Amino acid sequence: MDIGVEEDALSARMTIRPELCTLGDIGHGGAIMSFADTLGAGAAFVTLPPEAKGTTTVESKTNFVAAAPAGATVVGRTSLVHRGKKTSIGQTLVATEEGKLVALTVQTQMTL
């Protein structure tokens, strides 16, 4: 997984391997949600204040827009849309390398 970090964003790539697929050789929604959750948590983590002990997901919602077939590489990018003292909210877009949107996740992270 390639990772890129910006001030309020985090991005990465994931290959849809056969073990991440459901029937029909399509990327399983749970794998795509886990990928988005990891990016959202990572974006929140790298922007934590020094006194924080960590972060945890409080809420996460994913809308699936299109399928990602086995062998495809998806690109995820989380942008923080809110960074407060106790919570942060990130929006993650997951798309194919060709730019076709696969999923949109909005996630709230709590600062510990």
Side-chain angles (χ1 to χ4, degrees), residues 77-99:
R77 185 176 196 292
T78 297
S79 300
L80 289 181
V81 295
H82 166 74
R83 184 170 46 180
K85 292 180 182 178
K86 298 289 182 188
T87 61
S88 62
I89 299 171
Q91 175 179 285
T92 303
L93 297 173
V94 178
T96 64
E97 286 187 305
E98 296 76 33

Side-chain angles (χ1 to χ4, degrees), residues 1-15 34-47 73-80 90-97:
M1 182 167 28
D2 299 327
I3 298 176
V5 180
E6 300 169 39
E7 184 177 339
D8 285 328
L10 184 70
S11 60
R13 293 176 158 17
M14 179 178 75
T15 301
S34 293
F35 178 56
D37 182 66
T38 300
L39 287 172
F45 186 82
V46 299
T47 60
T73 296
V74 292
V75 179
R77 185 176 196 292
T78 297
S79 300
L80 289 181
Q91 175 179 285
T92 303
L93 297 173
V94 178
T96 64
E97 286 187 305

Side-chain angles (χ1 to χ4, degrees), residues 7 14 21 45-46 48 63 81 101-102 105 112:
E7 184 177 339
M14 179 178 75
C21 290
F45 186 82
V46 299
L48 284 173
N63 288 322
V81 295
L101 183 63
V102 173
T105 300
L112 302 174

